[in-house]
Amino acid sequence: MDTNAPTPYESYVYAYPHKTAYRRLAERPALAELWAAEPKDALSLYLHIPFCEVRCGFCNLFTRVGAPEGLTTAYLDALERQAGAVREALGEAGPVRYATAAFGGGTPTFLTATELERLCDIAEHRMGARLGAIPLSAETSPATATPDRLAVLAARGTTRLSIGVQSFDEAEARAAVRPQRRADVEAALGHARAAGFPVLNIDLIYGIDGQTEASWLRSLDAALAWRPEELYLYPLYVRPLTGLGRRTPDGPDPEWDARRLRLYRAGRDHLLAHGYVQGSMRSFRRADAPAEGPEDYACQTDGMTGLGCGARSYTRDLHYSFDYAVGAHEVRALVDAYVGTADFTRAEYGRVIDADERRRRHLLQSLLQAAGLDRAEYRARFGTDPAEDYPAELTAFAAKGWLDEQETGVLRLTPEGLAHSDAVGPRLFSPAVRAAMAAYERR
């Protein structure tokens, strides 16, 4: 086996540019200036809760384990201060409307039911998001998906609940440093269904040590028994500074890559055979599930306001956030710094998005979806065709059989191209972003 072959699992591209390409903004621009000329009639709102009951071995998210007494209250106080500053910066000139909202983390349901009410109040009354009238997604875990918490989320208009199960096999969960009992997972799913969310999503992971195709399919069948409207299938990554990363040698592992690809294909084919439609490498949606909204929001073009120490915000010209870390000590320090912040009127860390980066982001976020990229829409926005802008990259994808060359008006990945999404995405990063990510000092 060729140990020098490029891995199909280079990087999961959930946002571009990645936060490791952000740097401290020397000029600390005022939010009011950043948003003054931005369209604000179809924004996305994201609220970040950086707490979890346990840190999974694969997790490199901005989150801390537990919270000393009073910290969640202090965090919500800071979140409310930030919301006030951000909403004021958006101004009153022209309509300010949210088309979609999400609570992420961490684990938002680490908060108590009363604290979740306050979180919803911040989104609705401080930011002006019309919860109950727009799609609202919230993340949870088996340990925190209690009836009282879920009742609050359902009553306040949550349309999609995503629960990180990862595996229904207890031995596999332990191997991923995610100890949990199958009975507790099933109970949490029961609570979620009883709460009546229109869309239930279950996250599962493949590539765990000791996982076989048979055990993987058993986990999928256990999830399918709940008839979730969505399933997300994630390849296991072992990243620096995580629990698994500290005990696993770094470097290429062609055998693991091949095993993950086999498990991915088995899972994909199993879900397609059970009436699910593939939306991306990771996402699968039941064919008869409620329609996804909103029609007037597009992640490629519309802005996002993020609240919380791990949230990011997007304008056309700048992506910004607070400082970023993964290591437990650093995360605790950054959460404490956020809680102690009084002035939220300026952007602190970020990256300027020039015309090339805007085109790359649009191409990335469209191409990695099964629906692909509408070339006419791209030309209308940028005045060029993606084949003119990125000929070398697209030619290389086509040569590998990753692009559907039968299409004309749509640039779409083939099934094999979707399987290699985590290799496709990084190859579209700009040289400047690649250099910034490589120079980032992990902590």
Side-chain angles (χ1 to χ4, degrees), residues 174-228:
R174 287 193 300 272
V177 195
R178 173 63 181 269
Q180 61 190 16
R181 296 193 312 131
R182 169 77 178 267
D184 295 335
V185 172
E186 300 284 358
L189 289 166
H191 299 328
R193 276 307 191 203
F197 299 102
V199 174
L200 171 66
N201 172 69
I202 299 175
D203 288 344
L204 296 174
I205 286 181
Y206 56 92
I208 300 170
D209 190 31
Q211 188 178 52
T212 65
E213 184 172 326
S215 69
W216 172 229
L217 294 178
R218 283 196 297 271
S219 266
L220 286 169
D221 285 336
L224 289 171
W226 291 97
R227 286 187 51 76

Side-chain angles (χ1 to χ4, degrees), residues 171-436:
E172 289 178 7
R174 287 193 300 272
V177 195
R178 173 63 181 269
Q180 61 190 16
R181 296 193 312 131
R182 169 77 178 267
D184 295 335
V185 172
E186 300 284 358
L189 289 166
H191 299 328
R193 276 307 191 203
F197 299 102
V199 174
L200 171 66
N201 172 69
I202 299 175
D203 288 344
L204 296 174
I205 286 181
Y206 56 92
I208 300 170
D209 190 31
Q211 188 178 52
T212 65
E213 184 172 326
S215 69
W216 172 229
L217 294 178
R218 283 196 297 271
S219 266
L220 286 169
D221 285 336
L224 289 171
W226 291 97
R227 286 187 51 76
E229 285 72 25
E230 292 181 354
L231 278 156
Y232 270 63
L233 310 185
Y234 289 92
L236 179 66
Y237 273 87
V238 174
R239 301 176 175 95
L241 303 180
T242 63
L244 290 176
R246 286 191 292 270
R247 67 190 200 194
T248 304
D250 194 16
D253 189 339
E255 291 186 4
W256 189 33
D257 286 347
R259 183 162 62 91
R260 283 183 288 181
L261 275 174
R262 286 196 302 272
L263 292 171
Y264 160 78
R265 291 174 178 134
R268 174 198 62 193
D269 295 348
H270 197 67
L271 294 186
L272 294 178
H274 281 78
Y276 284 75
V277 177
Q278 187 167 16
S280 69
M281 173 185 166
R282 288 163 172 76
S283 69
F284 296 82
R285 188 173 179 85
R286 215 177 68 210
D288 61 348
E292 288 183 281
E295 294 184 356
D296 62 342
Y297 177 79
C299 65
Q300 298 95 327
T301 57
D302 291 311
M304 180 164 79
T305 53
L307 302 180
C309 59
R312 68 185 86 206
S313 298
Y314 304 145
T315 67
R316 284 174 295 186
D317 299 325
L318 183 73
H319 289 192
Y320 64 92
S321 68
F322 297 100
D323 199 3
Y324 169 73
V326 174
H329 177 75
E330 294 287 345
V331 169
R332 285 196 296 269
L334 292 176
V335 172
D336 290 345
Y338 174 82
V339 166
T341 299
D343 181 4
F344 287 103
T345 62
R346 295 183 175 274
E348 302 291 340
Y349 286 78
R351 187 166 190 87
V352 172
I353 306 299
D354 62 17
D356 175 60
E357 298 293 13
R358 282 193 287 274
R359 289 194 297 269
R360 288 180 183 275
R361 181 171 181 260
H362 188 102
L363 177 58
L364 270 167
Q365 294 194 308
S366 302
L367 192 59
L368 296 184
Q369 301 298 311
L373 180 145
D374 185 314
R375 299 178 88 137
E377 180 184 337
Y378 183 98
R379 286 193 296 268
R381 184 177 182 203
F382 300 111
T384 54
D385 188 86
E388 299 170 28
D389 293 336
Y390 306 106
E393 294 90 337
L394 296 179
T395 298
F397 297 157
K400 291 180 176 294
W402 293 352
L403 277 183
D404 186 347
E405 298 189 274
Q406 304 303 311
E407 295 277 2
T408 54
V410 177
L411 198 62
R412 195 192 314 271
L413 293 178
T414 62
E416 195 62 13
L418 278 178
H420 287 79
S421 291
D422 288 3
V424 169
R427 295 182 195 192
L428 292 169
F429 291 3
S430 71
V433 164
R434 279 190 172 276

